[in-house]
Amino acid sequence: MTLATAAAQAPAGVRFRPAHVAWALLALAVLLTLLRPALPDGIVRPPEWLVWPISEGLNRFFDWLQNDVGFSVVTRGFAAAVGWLLDLASALLVPTRRGYPLPDVVCQNIGLCTGHAIPWTIFAITGFCVGTWLRSWKLGLLCGLTFVYLAVFGQWQWAMQTLSQVAVAVPLSVALGFVLGALAWRKQWFEQVLTPLLNLAQSVPHLSYLIPVVVFFGVGDHAGVIATVVFATPPMVRMTILGLRKVPPEVIESGQMCGATRWQVMRHARVPTARAEILVGVNQVIMQCLAMVVIASFIGSPGLGDKLLNYLQSLRIGSSIEIGVSIVLIAVMLDQLSRAWAEKQPVHWERGTPWHVRHRMLLVWSGLVIAALLATLAHDYAHEIPRRKAISTKDFWDAGVDHLLAWLSAPAAKVRDFLLLQVLTPIRDAFQYPPFLAVLAAVAAVGWAVGGARSALTVVLLIAFLAVSGWWDRSMITAYMVTVAVVLAVAIGLPVGVWASLPRPSRGSPGWWFNQAVRMLGILIVSAVGAAAVVFVLETVVPPTPAVEYSLFLAALAAIAYGIERYTRDVTRDRFLLFLCDTVQTFPSFIYLIPVIMLFQVNDVAAIAGVIIYGTVPMLRYTVEGMRGVPASLVEAAEMSGATRMQKLRTVSLPLALPTIMIGLNQTVMFSLMMVIIAAFIGTQDLGQEIMRAKALSDVGMSLVLGFCVAAMGLAVDHVATRWAAKRKKALGL
């Protein structure tokens, strides 16, 4: 007899409901937890007969592929092809590599040395012209100054190594993602097969990609590019499917009426119409590639990530901050350029428009490039600034960190010790105390309450994988760290996002004065740090007298404060917060470890603090987006009914924004899971630390099983949150 039949035959008043089953499962979980001391060991922890040798089986499979089938011959050949592409990119970008792919005589006749790459001045000019052409002179200035910073501050060679890998990985990822996405859009069965693989690929931690790549492709920059392509392809696949599906039927019909073939319709109708979504996918690919190229330093990939890893290991905070600033500038530049490309619409000139009018920016760029090439003949610094002659701010950052730690080290140590002993350790013990069957029952209760028997079975199977894999205890430690981080991220992100979405208070009111005070304080702090950095840089060039130094500081402070105040004068809180989220989301995950290591050293507090910083961003973003998406007509109706500001927020805005906020919670959990694994770099006892150990042992099976454990937890949360949000939207009629 099925549950539906039992429910139909139940007498009136004893109607069978899913909520009853959920409460019964939850009661079972509580009962098993209370009876834990009396339960046999096979119920408290997964028994040995339940643990499957999955990692050993995977290792045997990969060994069979590599040695018996000879698959390594294919992978090594592919690695050689990627290595050739990297050599070509490095010849153009990276100094001290092979130089230009031109004969020596040609290079010498135009004043270029074959031992050097393209001058940094040409990159700065190109960045300025491209940014100006795509959006505005402000974006052009950002791009140009980014390259100037990399050259003047001695980061050029490392940055070009990173960009050469991105330049190879992005086209490969975009091409592979577009082809797979087009096939999935065309063939439904292929999409059904591909979708679970994409979900798994986007849930597995970054580090779990590295070990299989090392086994089949070796170590070095080519292995880093291959791991990056595997990691960055899924968002391109998804956005290609989305874009092709959104093409209106009228566009296709008009192409077919003109006699176009299927390929012509695809090329001239579908793809141009889906241009915006496809370019958003390209933007996501670029950012994923940059993030993964930095993490690929674990397998010998050179560049900024490798230097950042070395500096963090030796706790050289000043040098780490310099490298971090370089990575952030490159990330923001690439993000804004790709966004501007996605937003820019094609320009259609009238027939007969002169060539120089249509290509005005190209002519400007050509003239500036010729001037830059002439400058390289006049002075070598226009071609490359030697690192020993570059400006460095590491002493400034080290001094600032030393002063900051002198003020904060004692209270930070007390906070760290209190949190470790009084808060985190009891929570960790509480997560490890319940029997594993109690945890499965509780998970089943949540799944049943959200989506019935099918959802309960889905989440139970996902969490049961933690038990059969043999990593239950480590998984519970990971769950404890993620739970603490997510709770605190929600406690920070939700109220701040709601506050930022509220209407501006009227001028002269107490709320308006409070906002102005907070804004001016923030401007003053940022301006003071910027002015101090400017003075420090000028000191390294021309040491000034104390009076001149003081005057320079005040002038820089006033100029920076005026610029920020003028730029943010008309920016609303929600727009500023979304801009901040866009900027922070471009940071590679390593960057978040720098401040927490400074304050809390190496322990669970530092790891969780880094996860909180990383995980708060999606909570802020989706809270703001959810609040902004509330229909204005409903808010006006509440106002006409006499509702107060708090009543409108509690009864209208928050309930309607809750489905979107739940998606933000889902993303916060996924971000936190990824960051917990990265935080293992500074010392944890969870799955991330075991992934690090698997990397050191080159154990492919162990690495994949650990990655699947993290993915199982993420997919379980994703399933529950997605089903609940869909159910809530349906109830609200959205």
Side-chain angles (χ1 to χ4, degrees):
M1 180 183 295
T2 63
L3 291 175
T5 306
Q9 295 180 359
V14 200
R15 178 66 64 183
F16 186 81
R17 294 181 180 177
H20 296 161
V21 179
W23 283 111
L25 290 170
L26 186 61
L28 176 62
V30 173
L31 181 63
L32 289 174
T33 303
L34 294 176
L35 297 177
R36 182 185 188 277
L39 296 176
D41 293 339
I43 295 179
V44 175
R45 287 293 177 267
E48 293 185 4
W49 60 265
L50 186 61
V51 177
W52 300 348
I54 304 175
S55 59
E56 290 82 356
L58 287 173
N59 282 330
R60 287 195 296 270
F61 172 73
F62 281 108
D63 185 67
W64 173 75
L65 273 181
Q66 187 176 11
N67 299 321
D68 297 342
V69 178
F71 188 64
S72 58
V73 177
V74 178
T75 58
R76 300 294 176 179
F78 184 71
V82 173
W84 179 81
L85 292 174
L86 278 170
D87 285 340
L88 181 62
S90 298
L92 295 171
L93 302 181
V94 183
T96 72
R97 293 295 290 262
R98 295 185 308 177
Y100 300 103
L102 298 173
D104 293 353
V105 175
V106 177
C107 293
Q108 291 170 1
N109 287 337
I110 61 176
L112 301 176
C113 176
T114 56
H116 294 78
I118 298 174
W120 68 268
T121 47
I122 293 181
F123 275 99
I125 291 168
T126 303
F128 174 78
C129 292
V130 170
T132 303
W133 176 68
L134 287 176
R135 182 180 291 169
S136 67
W137 66 268
K138 295 179 182 178
L139 179 57
L141 191 64
L142 169 67
C143 300
L145 290 179
T146 296
F147 288 113
V148 172
Y149 173 88
L150 297 174
V152 172
F153 284 81
Q155 315 289 329
W156 187 257
Q157 181 173 349
W158 304 330
M160 291 301 104
Q161 288 174 339
T162 298
L163 283 177
S164 66
Q165 296 168 51
V166 172
V168 173
V170 168
L172 293 176
S173 301
V174 170
L176 180 61
F178 180 81
V179 170
L180 292 177
L183 286 175
W185 163 78
R186 178 72 68 180
K187 305 293 184 181
Q188 187 175 3
W189 66 266
F190 185 71
E191 182 185 4
Q192 292 174 349
V193 173
L194 192 62
T195 299
L197 296 178
L198 294 177
N199 293 337
L200 183 63
Q202 291 188 296
S203 304
V204 172
H206 307 63
L207 295 178
S208 295
Y209 287 91
L210 302 182
I211 301 173
V213 169
V214 169
V215 171
F216 286 106
F217 299 97
V219 296
D221 50 1
H222 64 280
V225 167
I226 292 169
T228 300
V229 170
V230 175
F231 179 75
T233 299
M236 186 66 199
V237 177
R238 293 187 185 277
M239 294 309 299
T240 300
I241 296 173
L242 177 64
L244 293 176
R245 277 194 178 149
K246 289 180 65 176
V247 176
E250 296 82 3
V251 175
I252 309 305
E253 292 173 0
S254 62
Q256 293 172 344
M257 290 174 64
C258 294
T261 64
R262 179 182 295 182
W263 165 250
Q264 290 172 332
V265 169
M266 184 71 174
R267 180 183 175 187
H268 297 290
R270 295 188 189 275
V271 173
T273 307
R275 174 181 179 274
E277 287 77 14
I278 292 174
L279 289 181
V280 169
V282 173
N283 169 262
Q284 295 298 308
V285 166
I286 292 173
M287 302 316 299
Q288 297 277 36
C289 283
L290 182 60
M292 192 61 185
V293 161
V294 173
I295 293 174
S297 59
F298 280 104
I299 56 174
S301 185
L304 293 171
D306 181 57
K307 292 298 176 182
L308 179 60
L309 181 64
N310 293 334
Y311 289 149
L312 284 176
Q313 287 175 331
S314 57
L315 292 180
R316 296 168 61 182
I317 302 300
S319 300
S320 300
I321 292 176
E322 277 192 341
I323 296 292
V325 171
S326 300
I327 295 174
V328 168
L329 285 175
I330 292 174
V332 173
M333 177 188 69
L334 294 178
D335 178 61
Q336 293 300 313
L337 282 176
S338 55
R339 284 174 181 266
W341 185 23
E343 295 168 359
K344 185 177 178 63
Q345 298 298 320
V347 178
H348 302 284
W349 298 93
E350 295 182 2
R351 185 181 298 273
T353 303
W355 186 90
H356 69 275
V357 174
R358 291 183 282 115
H359 301 89
R360 184 178 304 163
M361 185 56 67
L362 179 62
L363 293 175
V364 172
W365 174 82
S366 302
L368 293 175
V369 166
I370 293 173
L373 291 175
L374 295 175
T376 60
L377 299 176
H379 204 293
D380 291 341
Y381 283 11
H383 193 290
E384 179 187 354
I385 300 176
R387 180 159 175 77
R388 64 180 181 276
K389 297 293 185 179
I391 299 172
S392 176
T393 57
K394 64 180 181 180
D395 294 334
F396 167 77
W397 295 115
D398 284 333
V401 169
D402 291 341
H403 283 88
L404 185 65
L405 292 180
W407 297 337
L408 298 179
S409 59
K414 292 180 180 178
V415 171
R416 179 193 64 211
D417 295 340
F418 171 77
L419 291 176
L420 276 176
L421 299 176
Q422 305 299 327
V423 179
L424 296 182
T425 301
I427 294 176
R428 183 185 63 190
D429 295 341
F431 268 78
Q432 292 183 299
Y433 181 81
F436 86 98
L437 287 181
V439 175
L440 293 179
V443 167
V446 174
W448 204 299
V450 170
R454 179 175 296 181
S455 292
L457 180 61
T458 300
V459 295
V460 165
L461 289 177
L462 287 170
I463 301 303
F465 179 80
L466 309 179
V468 301
S469 67
W471 297 104
W472 180 264
D473 291 331
R474 296 289 187 178
S475 299
M476 290 301 102
I477 295 176
T478 301
Y480 124 77
M481 297 183 69
V482 170
T483 301
V484 172
V486 168
V487 168
L488 293 176
V490 171
I492 296 170
L494 182 61
V496 172
V498 171
W499 170 77
S501 305
L502 295 176
R504 274 187 176 184
S506 57
R507 188 178 183 87
S509 65
W512 182 85
W513 284 110
F514 174 77
N515 291 344
Q516 292 300 310
V518 172
R519 178 167 168 265
M520 291 303 173
L521 179 62
I523 291 175
L524 183 61
I525 293 174
V526 174
S527 302
V529 174
V534 169
V535 172
F536 179 83
V537 171
L538 293 176
E539 283 181 350
T540 60
V541 181
V542 181
T545 62
V548 174
E549 181 179 353
Y550 184 70
S551 301
L552 286 174
F553 176 80
L554 291 180
L557 178 67
I560 296 174
Y562 175 78
I564 296 176
E565 196 279 333
R566 182 71 179 271
Y567 183 76
T568 61
R569 183 176 299 170
D570 298 325
V571 177
T572 59
R573 291 175 301 195
D574 56 343
R575 285 177 55 198
F576 174 76
L577 198 61
L578 289 176
F579 168 77
L580 189 64
C581 290
D582 288 338
T583 304
V584 173
Q585 276 192 308
T586 62
F587 296 0
S589 49
F590 272 141
I591 302 299
Y592 299 94
L593 301 180
I594 297 175
V596 298
I597 289 177
M598 290 191 305
L599 285 177
F600 302 113
Q601 304 304 316
V602 177
N603 49 63
D604 280 5
V605 176
I608 291 175
V611 176
I612 292 171
I613 298 173
Y614 191 63
T616 302
V617 174
M619 197 68 220
L620 285 170
R621 168 182 292 282
Y622 281 93
T623 300
V624 172
E625 295 288 358
M627 296 292 291
R628 293 173 73 177
V630 175
S633 57
L634 297 180
V635 178
E636 293 174 0
E639 289 178 350
M640 294 175 63
S641 301
T644 63
R645 188 176 185 180
M646 187 57 65
Q647 289 173 333
K648 288 187 296 182
L649 179 65
R650 189 179 68 252
T651 60
V652 179
S653 299
L654 278 179
L656 291 174
L658 198 54
T660 305
I661 294 174
M662 280 299 296
I663 297 176
L665 176 62
N666 177 26
Q667 291 298 303
T668 298
V669 173
M670 301 300 290
F671 276 47
S672 299
L673 278 169
M674 296 296 174
M675 190 60 192
V676 160
I677 305 305
I678 298 297
F681 172 73
I682 60 175
T684 57
Q685 299 176 355
D686 63 337
L687 292 173
Q689 195 63 37
E690 295 299 328
I691 292 177
M692 291 286 187
R693 190 162 67 89
K695 183 184 73 69
L697 298 173
S698 296
D699 192 330
V700 181
M702 179 179 173
S703 170
L704 289 177
V705 169
L706 291 166
F708 293 157
C709 288
V710 177
M713 290 190 286
L715 291 174
V717 174
D718 176 73
H719 179 83
V720 171
T722 304
R723 290 300 299 269
W724 186 91
K727 188 176 178 180
R728 183 66 179 170
K729 283 184 177 180
K730 184 178 180 181
L732 293 172
L734 299 177

